[in-house]
Amino acid sequence: MNLEHVVGLACLESGTMHSPDVLRYGSPNPTSELGFSPLDVRYDYAVVKRKLGSAEALAMAPLIMQSFAPLLPIPDASYLSTLLVGGTPLLRSSRLSRELGVELFVKDDSRNPSGSLKDRASALAVAHARFFRRDKIAVASTGNAAASLASQAASAGLTAIVFVPAQAPIAKIMQAVMYGSRVYTVNGNYDAAYEVCQRACECFGWYNRSTGYNPYMTEGKKTVSFEMAIQFARLAGTGAPMSAPDAVFVPVGDGCIAGAVHKGFDDLLQLGFLERMPRIYGVQSDKSAAIHRAWVRQAPIRKVNATSRADSICADMPRDGAKALRAIRETGGSFLAVSDGHILKAIVDLARKEGIFVEPAAAASLAGLCSARAQGLVRDGEKVVLLLTGSGLKDPLAGAELLAKPLRVSTLDDVKKVEHLSA
Ligand SMILES: *Cc1c(COP(=O)(O)O)cnc(C)c1O
């Protein structure tokens, strides 16, 4: 096996290092509420650097996951599917910048093949399963990971088996059905789907892509930070091949994305490609705030009864909380809890002021920034990136109650009446 750039998988609780040549999930740990201790993939940065070349070379490479293969736990880019993942735009957000008094950028990851950031993890899952010669991959998902895995598996000719809550948004379920995966809708919430998927993987020996338990998903998702660093340097004109903004706002459900954003910037620091770490802010709905609560109380993460309308960040017991907490603590950021009402309003603001339509979970990042500004956590003029994680077309009725209905007409006279009234 040619994983010379990977040192191994470190257990975050015991520190034990495991060989990277064996497919491994979280270490069984009956004393943890999750039943496992999370693992973290560790690299030999000298070897990575030899494979990648200089920061300048990496910054010039195409912005796709293939370019970052030496920082992924696969031998090379040939294992990745031909669906191009990543390379999503970082955009200046001028109208919201003025309103919020910061220099705002958005990283629009809704523009991935299946419409969410989850494609970064699913692409790696499929590559990884191919490397370990597995042809059936399962996942428990609130919807996006299922749609995403189904798409990646279809492209690679592998079988996806997905478990989603029966109440998941219909567009996400239909994506998974359309891409040809076997779709199980589970009676119960995401946590119930997680449990059934876990059991099924143990029973049938399927590759388990489920977030948190599968330590490799962080590695796929972290590529968003490589891109942010390259794009931010260009857009802000820093003169360096890669630079970090002051702060990044990340929606948090299981906490995998928050941990991954941290890992990506940390890889670049370890390589000497980046000068500093941005502060990372994790945003939860106050109706699904297990990690926020643990942060505020400085206590272990405990299960909550999550009921948020932002389905992609609705989780009773987050599966990647340890990495998310570490990300926020080590970067000097914070956790924020925002109301579902503020999340829905943020969807409308992003659509009407920036022309970007996102799903509720993604809009939480803007709601979080508003809250952080009100609390004085972000100073005037700071450079801030919002991570927009999923498309509004996945859940188009979210926020509809805030909006005027379309106007039904038959004739020009009907239109004239409306136009004269609003003139
Ligand atoms: C999965 C997801 C999140 C949350 O990611 P975690 O890793 O579970 O914290 C946020 N937004 C969208 C659109 C997602 O699909």
Side-chain angles (χ1 to χ4, degrees), residues 116 118 144 211 221 251-257 312-313 359 361-362 389-390:
S116 84
K118 295 291 192 293
N144 283 338
T211 299
K221 289 179 176 179
V252 171
D254 277 320
C256 182
I257 300 178
S312 294
I313 51 172
E359 68 165 274
T389 45

Side-chain angles (χ1 to χ4, degrees), residues 82-304:
T82 51
L83 287 172
L84 297 180
V85 173
T88 60
L90 181 75
L91 307 163
R92 260 186 200 281
S93 201
S94 44
R95 293 183 66 196
L96 286 171
S97 285
R98 277 196 296 279
E99 264 180 39
L100 292 167
V102 296
E103 201 174 328
L104 189 64
F105 302 82
V106 297
K107 175 69 171 160
D108 184 8
D109 243 49
S110 72
R111 299 206 214 174
N112 269 303
S114 81
S116 84
L117 183 144
K118 295 291 192 293
D119 284 337
R120 297 178 185 274
S122 296
L124 185 68
V126 164
H128 203 243
R130 277 172 149 177
F131 173 48
F132 284 104
R133 301 185 184 286
R134 303 297 195 86
D135 58 6
K136 294 194 174 68
I137 313 180
V139 72
S141 166
T142 58
N144 283 338
S148 164
L149 177 64
S151 150
Q152 288 290 322
S155 159
L158 304 186
T159 301
I161 304 119
V162 309
F163 297 84
V164 296
Q167 302 305 322
I170 188 66
K172 299 181 183 184
I173 296 178
M174 277 315 298
Q175 280 186 287
V177 171
M178 185 58 77
Y179 290 128
S181 62
R182 189 144 65 248
V183 180
Y184 289 103
T185 55
V186 179
N187 291 317
N189 60 8
Y190 169 54
D191 296 72
Y194 202 97
E195 193 59 33
V196 181
C197 178
Q198 191 85 6
R199 297 271 169 91
C201 286
E202 281 159 16
C203 181
F204 297 105
W206 298 331
Y207 182 98
N208 189 345
R209 182 227 176 275
S210 292
T211 299
Y213 183 58
N214 182 319
Y216 310 99
M217 297 304 91
T218 304
E219 306 307 302
K221 289 179 176 179
K222 75 183 179 182
T223 58
V224 76
S225 293
F226 303 156
E227 295 178 14
M228 266 191 276
I230 294 167
Q231 293 170 313
F232 180 76
R234 285 183 200 154
L235 217 53
T238 64
M242 296 179 207
S243 305
D246 296 303
V248 183
F249 281 74
V250 184
V252 171
D254 277 320
C256 182
I257 300 178
V261 165
H262 179 220
K263 177 94 181 260
F265 284 115
D266 191 59
D267 279 347
L268 299 179
L269 281 174
Q270 302 286 339
L271 287 163
F273 288 2
L274 195 66
E275 296 213 316
R276 61 159 186 172
M277 178 67 78
R279 307 195 306 278
I280 298 172
Y281 292 87
V283 189
Q284 295 208 282
S285 160
D286 61 13
K287 290 201 171 125
S288 173
I291 308 181
H292 173 260
R293 184 182 290 188
W295 169 259
V296 171
R297 298 185 181 170
Q298 305 214 344
I301 298 172
R302 294 265 174 261
K303 199 171 169 187
V304 296

